Amino acid sequence: MTTAHDAGTKSVPVPTQSTYQNRVADYWNAEENPVNLELGRIDDLYHHHYGVGEADWTVLDEPDAELRRERVTAELHRLEHAQAELLAAHLGRLTPADRVFDAGCGRGGGSVTAHLRYGCHADGVTLSGKQAEFANEQARKRGIDDQVRYHHRNMLDTGLETGAYAASWNNESTMYVELDLLFAEHARLLRRGGRYVVITGCYNDAYGRASREVSLINAHYICDIHPRSAYFRALARNRLVPVHVEDLTAAAVPYWELRSQADHLVTGIEETFLTAYRNGSFQYLLIAADRI
């Protein structure tokens, strides 16, 4: 065990990470991607995921180059926040007295979104000490750091209180871990009847094995995308019973189409996502499950 400072609390032990997890932590500690930072600066809600919904294509008609850039950035952020609100809407009937858990919280936008919607207390966990520090500073600026806290910990072994959470989620972070280990930790943290929600990219079993495009996405993000079937099997093994499943693939395409035309934000993976969605090898899925 190593020790790390947990912002807002005392120093806590951090479970030893695998070599792979250390690489992931190094990646996110060093990451300064404009597609994450420029969007978040609009309203200090930093999301590390993609967007859903129909885009406002008029932003591309803006003749002034600088204003066009600003409008495209704002529209991409709107779509990303719509995704965060969609996830939050599936967390169940939460009250300000409830606690929620954000696994793989990134720079913290999802926890803030849930808090603003329900008034609940939130704990976010990330392997990146830099992300946890950044997210805690954002919570302090908002004056909600007594209710929303971020921790530099391993989401597979958080050390947080058993049965203390009314809801928990992963937003595009499951591809960095083994699903059984992850869902076991969620089942431990959730109270009976608590709600777990995941939004994730997964490869389509009906297509066959992982496609070339899925392999390219894995290489780009240093991750390992799971097949769709693996989610349902691992959920069942860990007392998490799906109550709602939604295929968001079609809803995700406009975001990627718009992002592919944002010269100041492209990362080079945009066309790969679009090809994977269109050839049916890759899906964008929301699953909500109850802890029994």
Side-chain angles (χ1 to χ4, degrees):
M1 301 283 280
T2 56
T3 300
H5 180 71
D6 200 12
T9 66
K10 62 183 180 180
S11 292
V12 297
V14 177
T16 302
Q17 297 165 182
S18 67
T19 301
Y20 168 72
Q21 287 176 312
N22 285 330
R23 286 193 62 203
V24 172
D26 289 344
Y27 174 90
W28 289 110
N29 282 329
E31 184 269 338
E32 295 285 344
N33 200 312
V35 78
N36 292 320
L37 295 175
E38 287 198 27
L39 274 62
R41 290 188 186 107
I42 292 172
D43 56 6
D44 289 330
L45 280 171
Y46 291 82
H47 298 302
H48 280 277
H49 55 72
Y50 312 128
V52 295
E54 188 54 53
D56 177 5
W57 299 105
T58 65
V59 298
L60 297 176
D61 299 329
E62 173 58 52
D64 181 89
E66 186 60 31
L67 185 55
R68 180 182 186 272
R69 171 176 169 149
E70 292 176 4
R71 291 185 63 191
V72 169
T73 301
E75 180 61 6
L76 289 170
H77 183 64
R78 184 187 69 82
L79 294 171
E80 289 190 4
H81 188 67
Q83 191 263 36
E85 289 284 5
L86 176 65
L87 189 154
H90 284 87
L91 292 176
R93 297 180 179 178
L94 299 175
T95 72
D98 287 322
R99 294 173 67 185
V100 299
F101 171 58
D102 182 356
C105 61
R107 289 186 172 95
S111 294
V112 176
T113 299
H115 169 74
L116 293 177
R117 186 182 187 96
Y118 299 107
C120 55
H121 295 252
D123 287 293
V125 165
T126 172
L127 284 175
S128 167
K130 184 177 179 181
Q131 287 185 339
E133 183 179 356
F134 181 95
N136 277 310
E137 180 58 27
Q138 293 301 310
R140 282 190 289 272
K141 288 179 178 178
R142 287 180 177 271
I144 59 173
D145 52 307
D146 59 332
Q147 296 171 295
V148 179
R149 298 184 178 93
Y150 302 93
H151 313 272
H152 177 209
R153 303 191 193 183
N154 188 334
M155 66 180 170
L156 301 181
D157 184 10
T158 64
L160 298 173
E161 184 181 354
T162 298
Y165 294 87
S168 64
W169 69 90
N170 286 91
N171 199 345
E172 295 183 18
S173 54
T174 53
M175 62 285 298
Y176 290 102
V177 295
E178 296 177 48
L179 293 180
D180 273 299
L181 296 177
L182 174 67
F183 294 159
E185 182 68 351
H186 279 285
R188 183 186 72 80
L189 293 172
L190 286 168
R191 68 193 185 197
R192 189 177 181 89
R195 173 66 53 83
Y196 171 69
V197 180
V198 57
I199 294 182
T200 187
C202 53
Y203 77 76
N204 182 2
D205 302 78
Y207 180 90
R209 301 293 295 173
S211 67
R212 175 180 179 273
E213 289 76 25
V214 169
S215 297
L216 290 172
I217 295 169
N218 280 336
H220 185 86
Y221 290 109
I222 321 175
C223 65
D224 186 14
I225 293 167
H226 303 289
R228 180 180 60 194
S229 61
Y231 284 88
F232 297 97
R233 291 170 180 155
L235 287 167
R237 286 192 292 264
N238 290 282
R239 304 185 61 160
L240 295 166
V241 179
V243 294
H244 179 80
V245 179
E246 189 171 350
D247 185 350
L248 299 174
T249 307
V253 168
Y255 168 86
W256 286 100
E257 290 177 332
L258 181 60
R259 185 167 138 177
S260 69
Q261 298 187 62
D263 294 341
H264 61 299
L265 298 174
V266 293
T267 63
I269 200 65
E270 288 78 14
E271 290 302 324
T272 301
F273 269 86
L274 287 168
T275 300
Y277 284 145
R278 289 166 178 161
N279 68 23
S281 66
F282 190 54
Q283 293 177 297
Y284 199 51
L285 208 64
L286 179 150
I287 307 169
D290 285 346
R291 160 68 161 88
I292 61 170

